[in-house]
Amino acid sequence: MTVLAPPPRLGDHFGGRLGFLGLALAYALLVAACVVSLLAENELSLGRNPLANLVKTAGEFARPSFVDVWFGNPQLEYRSDDGNLLRVENRQEVERNHLAALAEATWTTIRIATLGSLLGAILALPLAVLTARNLSAPRPLAWLAKGLLDVTRSIHTLVFGLVLVGIVGLGPTAGILAIALHSLGSYGKLFAESIETLDMAAINAVRSVGAGPVQVFFNAIWPAVLPQFVSSHLYIWEFNIRDSTILGIIGAGGLGLLISEATSLFQWGRLSTVLLVVFLLVTTFDALSRRIRKALL
Amino acid sequence: MNAAPSSAAIALKSLACSAGDRTLLAIDELVVAEGERVAIVGHNGAGKTTLLRLLSGFMPPAQGTAEVLGRALEEPLPAAELRLLRQEVGQVLQGLHLVARLSALENVLIGSLGRVTGWRSWTRCYPPPEVASAETSLHAVGLLAHARTRADRLSGGEKQKVAIARLLMQRPRLILADEPTAALDPSAAAEVCHLLVKAARQATLITVVHNPALLPLLAERVIGLRHGQIAFDLPLARVSDQELGDLYRPDGGTEHRLWQAPSSTPSAIRSVAFR
Ligand SMILES: Nc1ncnc2c1ncn2[C@@H]1O[C@H](COP(=O)(O)OP(=O)(O)OP(=O)(O)O)[C@@H](O)[C@H]1O
Ligand SMILES: [Mg+2]
């Protein structure tokens, strides 16, 4: 019997040194096309005086607004061009209020990320069970679930947010739902993967002592799958904390609102304060979650 | 031994097992009395594992009758009936089948799931007498020091011993062991065989082995399987190199398959190397 060579697949042409050279050439062409076309459309300018702007912005960034709580001018006078006193502002008080608003927005962001993640995880669980290959759910159902997971994963949180704001109105509810829907896809994929790594032989071993289905679930499946689920949950929750800091920009509540406020008024000092909080929030949560996930291994 | 044929642990009659349209097992008659110690030998793919899977109710017979511990294995055995059977049939399966994330002790306690029911078995809060008995079982296989070690941190031999401790915990009437010494070094293999025989003191023991040197440790009767059929069924003393050689020799090429003769020569059977 003669053995037929398998038909060449697209990927086969990329192998070898020549194939790699071809790939590199194609990539170089793409980059050149991007640069040349943008230049032709005159879209690659850096503005009129980028350097001065940069220095000014950086200078304001370097002085975050919160230092005014202690060092601000308590009687800042605003005058019109001809010298009339318009009003007097207590910078310290204004920044104190801003800081309070910031704290509240941070709390909102945490709440959105937390509830959105939990909701996403709960919604993803049945879909993961349907898509896990080793559980062999009915084919059409499996495809449907997989399609749903892929679609939700490909749509950005902000897009979900914009649509949901139109449906449920401005505020954290839209944010929570947007986070839940977008992370649904990632949850489903990770959960299905942990179900697929289940040791079926160990499950059979537990069944072989005469254990019932509930006993098998709690003694073989639960201990194997739970730590992985918790670990995936922490991982995506951590991601969602980052994601939800931006949601306020579209009116879905939280820190993003302050970011958009600061940027639209060119208040780089304020933005600097907000970003500092975002940085602290994200790094703390990352460190915590990483520590816990490591312990669960 | 005092094998009374009236109380058979296993009775198979004109039995056939198949997968798709392939016959994996075809046995005219096989009776194993209670308390007997039987070894099953045969080439890779002979149907040894299939036979054990049948006896533990993981594979239904396609034809014929099979009776295990007085229970008839008809085609659709009700789930509750099957569980009752499995509680009395202890198994050491081919490969290592512990629950990876549970400790050695918890794995041993799984052996008591037939007796412990309800919330205690769901939350793994076993009653203290069972925990004490699990510790005794671990002690018997010399692994009490590893009671709290997670199963996936144990060595291959230690895992196999934990599986045997689980067997001791289960107190089965029939023990089915599928190559329990695979992947063990010679002295560990001999030790595991002794532990198995100890566990089977009040039970019937059926072991699949490839290493002829271990036969005297495990069995008083040897059954040779070849392409799903019984090639010989002899008392240990009458099993000769001739039989074992025939069993593992490739026949006229009617069936295409790949296999290797066991590395140790059948004559090793006379020298009980490990005691
Ligand atoms: N579920 C199944 N479907 C199809 N074929 C099967 C199935 N289970 C076993 N077989 C086939 O039946 C034959 C006997 O398998 P079995 O596992 O009983 O062999 P074995 O004697 O235990 O071999 P080994 O020494 O390698 O463990 C093999 O050829 C195997 O491919
Ligand atoms: Mg086998």
Side-chain angles (χ1 to χ4, degrees):
Chain A
M1 204 181 95
T2 53
V3 180
L4 291 176
R9 282 167 307 149
L10 190 63
D12 293 348
H13 300 302
F14 295 146
R17 208 164 292 177
L18 264 178
F20 182 77
L21 213 69
L23 271 183
L25 204 68
Y27 180 65
L29 275 176
L30 178 67
V31 171
C34 294
V35 171
V36 169
S37 66
L38 276 174
L39 276 178
E41 290 160 28
N42 213 3
E43 297 280 11
L44 265 193
S45 83
L46 288 173
R48 254 167 293 167
N49 45 0
L51 210 62
N53 283 347
L54 177 67
V55 169
K56 186 159 171 288
T57 310
E60 285 178 37
F61 251 104
R63 192 176 186 285
S65 59
F66 71 89
V67 296
D68 276 0
V69 171
W70 300 281
F71 304 114
N73 186 351
Q75 289 202 312
L76 183 65
E77 296 177 350
Y78 286 92
R79 286 173 187 280
S80 64
D81 290 343
D82 47 8
N84 290 335
L85 185 65
L86 291 175
R87 64 190 174 94
V88 180
E89 188 181 87
N90 183 348
R91 289 290 304 144
Q92 298 190 356
E93 201 187 310
V94 168
E95 286 310 320
R96 248 198 308 275
N97 290 343
H98 180 253
L99 228 49
L102 186 61
E104 166 133 32
T106 309
W107 177 222
T108 303
T109 290
I110 295 176
R111 285 182 291 184
I112 290 175
T114 306
L115 294 182
S117 305
L118 185 60
L119 187 62
I122 292 170
L123 292 178
L125 203 55
L127 296 177
V129 169
L130 286 179
T131 46
R133 269 183 292 255
N134 56 341
L135 300 188
S136 49
R139 275 291 180 78
L141 271 181
W143 280 332
L144 200 71
K146 185 153 188 332
L148 203 62
L149 292 180
D150 285 343
V151 167
T152 54
R153 199 171 43 232
S154 66
I155 298 176
H156 198 280
T157 317
L158 278 182
V159 179
F160 272 126
L162 282 168
V163 174
L164 284 162
V165 163
I167 296 173
V168 300
L170 293 170
T173 316
I176 292 172
L177 292 176
I179 292 276
L181 285 178
H182 175 66
S183 46
L184 186 68
S186 317
Y187 271 123
K189 191 161 171 252
L190 290 178
F191 284 176
E193 266 166 22
S194 11
I195 295 176
E196 276 165 12
T197 56
L198 268 180
D199 182 1
M200 291 317 252
I203 292 172
N204 270 341
V206 176
R207 288 207 300 166
S208 80
V209 305
V214 186
Q215 288 177 321
V216 170
F217 178 79
F218 281 111
N219 283 281
I221 300 176
W222 189 243
V225 138
L226 182 68
Q228 297 199 42
F229 275 11
V230 172
S231 165
S232 314
H233 180 49
L234 280 169
Y235 180 72
I236 294 178
W237 188 2
E238 176 191 319
F239 178 86
N240 283 342
I241 289 264
R242 250 169 298 159
D243 224 23
S244 63
T245 56
I246 207 77
L247 272 172
I249 288 183
I250 55 161
L255 283 166
L257 188 63
L258 299 186
I259 295 181
S260 80
E261 216 173 76
T263 47
S264 50
L265 296 175
F266 300 104
Q267 294 172 325
W268 305 126
R270 285 267 174 93
L271 184 61
S272 168
T273 306
V274 176
L275 292 184
L276 211 63
V277 169
V278 169
F279 169 74
L280 287 178
L281 182 67
V282 168
T283 42
T284 328
F285 203 86
D286 277 14
L288 266 178
S289 127
R290 194 154 310 157
R291 189 90 36 103
I292 298 174
R293 281 189 287 131
K294 209 160 183 185
L296 281 174
L297 268 184
Chain B
M1 284 206 173
N2 52 347
S6 56
S7 60
I10 294 169
L12 310 180
K13 201 151 175 58
S14 45
L15 176 113
C17 271
S18 46
D21 51 3
R22 217 183 124 196
T23 303
L24 306 182
L25 210 58
I27 294 177
D28 270 347
E29 178 154 29
L30 175 65
V31 178
V32 175
E34 218 155 307
E36 244 185 317
R37 289 190 283 144
V38 180
I40 298 177
V41 293
H43 59 83
N44 285 139
K48 308 179 295 291
T49 301
T50 308
L51 178 57
L52 295 197
R53 279 167 54 82
L54 167 86
L55 295 178
S56 57
F58 274 105
M59 180 169 224
Q63 267 173 45
T65 57
E67 224 179 82
V68 177
L69 297 176
R71 283 193 177 76
L73 304 179
E74 329 118 37
E75 171 84 62
L77 202 63
E81 187 80 358
L82 194 59
R83 280 205 292 279
L84 285 178
L85 171 70
R86 284 181 185 160
Q87 283 167 21
E88 293 188 309
V89 178
Q91 295 177 69
V92 183
L93 300 153
Q94 193 169 18
L96 308 156
H97 299 312
L98 302 181
V99 181
R101 282 182 164 273
L102 297 185
S103 70
L105 189 69
E106 284 176 308
N107 266 291
V108 175
L109 279 163
I110 282 175
S112 73
L113 282 181
R115 305 186 288 271
V116 181
T117 51
W119 69 271
R120 278 185 172 280
S121 70
W122 303 343
T123 52
R124 302 201 298 279
C125 292
Y126 294 90
E130 296 288 358
V131 177
S133 132
E135 278 168 351
T136 313
S137 306
L138 267 183
H139 181 69
V141 299
L143 281 181
L144 192 54
H146 284 295
R148 309 267 159 225
T149 310
R150 246 169 63 170
D152 51 1
R153 310 251 154 93
L154 295 170
S155 82
E158 286 165 344
K159 282 183 194 162
Q160 204 63 289
K161 287 180 195 168
V162 171
I164 289 177
R166 184 173 67 193
L167 206 65
L168 288 169
M169 188 71 191
Q170 194 186 342
R171 295 174 219 138
R173 282 170 60 201
L174 169 65
I175 296 178
L176 307 174
D178 198 351
E179 290 174 46
T181 60
L184 297 189
D185 71 51
S187 73
E191 194 187 342
V192 162
C193 288
H194 286 303
L195 287 172
L196 257 183
V197 171
K198 209 156 103 187
R201 207 169 279 157
Q202 271 120 30
T204 312
L205 173 64
I206 297 190
T207 324
V208 171
V209 265
H210 279 308
N211 184 354
L214 297 174
L215 286 178
L217 303 185
L218 286 168
E220 56 212 8
R221 171 179 168 192
V222 182
I223 295 175
L225 271 189
R226 186 188 175 98
H227 300 316
Q229 288 172 330
I230 295 183
F232 63 80
D233 181 353
L234 296 168
L236 178 70
R238 288 192 34 219
V239 178
S240 63
D241 295 1
Q242 174 74 42
E243 262 95 21
L244 289 174
D246 281 350
L247 195 65
Y248 287 111
R249 180 178 311 133
D251 58 351
T254 48
E255 198 180 341
H256 176 77
R257 75 179 184 281
L258 275 173
W259 65 274
Q260 283 183 316
S263 53
S264 43
T265 58
S267 61
I269 190 175
R270 300 256 155 59
S271 61
V272 182
F274 324 106
R275 273 286 179 190

